[in-house]
Amino acid sequence: MRRILVIGGTGNVGGHVVSQLAERGARFRVMARNPDAASFPPAIEVVRGDLTADDTLDECLHGTDTVFLVWVAPPAAADDAIARIAKHARRIVFLTAPLKTPHPFFQQPNPSRDVAERIERLIEDSGMEWTFVRAGMFAGNALHFWGPQIRGGGTVRWPCLNAPTAPTDERDIAAAACVALCEDGHAGKEYVVTGPQSLSQAEQIHALGRAVGRSLCVEEMSPDQARSELLPVLGSPVFIDMLLNAWRAAMGQPAFVSTEFTGLTGASPRPFRQWAADHAEEFRA
Ligand SMILES: NC(=O)c1ccc[n+]([C@@H]2O[C@H](COP(=O)([O-])OP(=O)(O)OC[C@H]3O[C@@H](n4cnc5c(N)ncnc54)[C@H](OP(=O)(O)O)[C@@H]3O)[C@@H](O)[C@H]2O)c1
């Protein structure tokens, strides 16, 4: 049986990777920068490690042969970290985005894309067997995007309301990763995982309203208003422009919907209304 190290196991997707590996009875440990803050069941082994300090990786990697990697660390650390991982592991499954999918939403230049491409190249050149899980827009972005406004009242103001995406349930992304982590035959494969439905941002907000049992009023915001008003929500002007560019490029055609999840797992991807129902409490005041 493979011995897996999960890097990013305290995050949105990695948390589901951890619980699904446990359900599968897989042998794995989790790396975290602060194991004391990680809230896993006691049976799960958590080891301290940091991608920006590659000497901390040896203990985490000791005795493992397979790695699940989420990269949100500074890009400058990538060369050393991937080289250190490749000294121990024979296989790696990397969470990335559909960078090769020829849909305008996925083809806008931006800094996140540059980082992901760079890490993909480092992994390809590392000598490890690799699998790339190319996830579409996470359904969970809804919590960051619209959670504060939905919890705060009945009106949601947002830019590019007609822009469609195919929100992807983090549990499905994790399920695809777990197949590649635990089963043979996935070396050199790239799986594009999206939700099953193209939905405009307005449709997604209304789906959330139905899930919480409230009729929401949805108002278009201009890109300039978004740049100033959404800074506290989205964090950085670069990130806001990245989203605005992608949404504007996406308008006028349906979002890209992949069938690869079903081919890989035999299951249907979860629809956004299910994600909304399962997370409704987090949108209630
Ligand atoms: N959001 C989307 O729509 C979307 C779509 C496609 C792809 N993606 C990609 O998905 C990734 C984000 O996934 P996510 O939302 O699951 O991540 P997340 O919730 O932000 O979690 C990040 C994880 O990385 C760990 N981490 C951060 N800095 C670290 C470091 N220096 N060393 C070791 N671990 C570190 C954190 O662990 P600790 O803090 O516990 O150490 C945490 O477990 C990004 O690469 C993004 O580009 C996102």
Side-chain angles (χ1 to χ4, degrees):
M1 191 189 281
R2 294 179 184 176
R3 182 79 203 248
I4 300 163
L5 176 67
V6 179
I7 301 178
T10 58
N12 298 312
V13 174
H16 292 295
V17 169
V18 169
S19 55
Q20 292 181 26
L21 287 176
E23 279 164 24
R24 280 172 169 262
R27 295 177 68 203
F28 70 96
R29 72 167 70 104
V30 182
M31 179 176 114
R33 287 175 297 174
N34 183 359
D36 298 334
S39 52
F40 294 116
I44 290 179
E45 182 187 358
V46 187
V47 182
R48 189 181 304 277
D50 188 329
L51 288 164
T52 64
D54 60 301
D55 56 325
T56 65
L57 299 179
D58 288 326
E59 191 189 337
C60 302
L61 285 157
H62 180 72
T64 65
D65 52 39
T66 301
V67 166
F68 173 71
L69 177 65
V70 174
W71 189 283
V72 299
D79 292 68
D80 288 346
I82 303 292
R84 191 67 70 123
I85 291 169
K87 278 194 181 152
H88 295 262
R90 289 191 288 126
R91 294 181 205 85
I92 186 164
V93 176
F94 176 49
L95 172 61
T96 179
L99 306 178
K100 298 180 184 168
T101 298
H103 184 287
F105 183 75
F106 298 123
Q107 291 308 323
Q108 303 313 300
N110 64 59
S112 294
R113 179 190 186 89
D114 295 344
V115 173
E117 282 178 336
R118 180 154 165 259
I119 292 170
E120 289 180 20
R121 273 199 304 277
L122 287 171
I123 290 172
E124 285 166 344
D125 295 343
S126 70
M128 290 183 282
E129 291 180 0
W130 52 263
T131 308
F132 295 152
V133 175
R134 299 190 175 281
M137 282 290 265
F138 294 179
N141 293 339
L143 256 178
H144 308 293
F145 290 176
W146 307 312
Q149 293 188 70
I150 294 175
R151 284 191 295 273
T155 300
V156 178
R157 298 183 67 246
W158 200 253
C160 304
L161 284 169
N162 289 329
T165 63
T168 314
D169 195 304
E170 291 78 9
R171 292 169 290 189
D172 292 340
I173 303 167
C178 286
V179 171
L181 288 167
C182 297
E183 298 176 15
D184 290 333
H186 303 288
K189 301 278 177 63
E190 309 178 30
Y191 299 112
V192 176
V193 179
T194 71
Q197 252 185 316
S198 171
L199 293 172
S200 71
Q201 299 203 90
E203 289 170 322
Q204 293 171 41
I205 296 166
H206 287 303
L208 292 166
R210 284 192 293 279
V212 296
R214 279 166 44 209
S215 174
L216 298 172
C217 175
V218 181
E219 288 176 5
E220 182 80 25
M221 176 189 262
S222 74
D224 279 342
Q225 288 169 327
R227 284 187 192 94
S228 59
E229 291 177 35
L230 296 183
L231 204 52
V233 180
L234 297 176
S236 89
V238 173
F239 186 57
I240 294 177
D241 273 325
M242 182 184 101
L243 289 172
L244 288 171
N245 289 342
W247 287 326
R248 283 190 290 205
M251 296 232 230
Q253 72 253 278
F256 180 80
V257 170
S258 169
T259 56
E260 290 179 21
F261 175 77
T262 301
L264 182 63
T265 64
S268 300
R270 292 170 172 89
F272 185 65
R273 67 173 177 282
Q274 185 178 342
W275 185 94
D278 293 343
H279 291 266
E281 209 43 50
E282 294 157 74
F283 290 88
R284 295 200 170 101

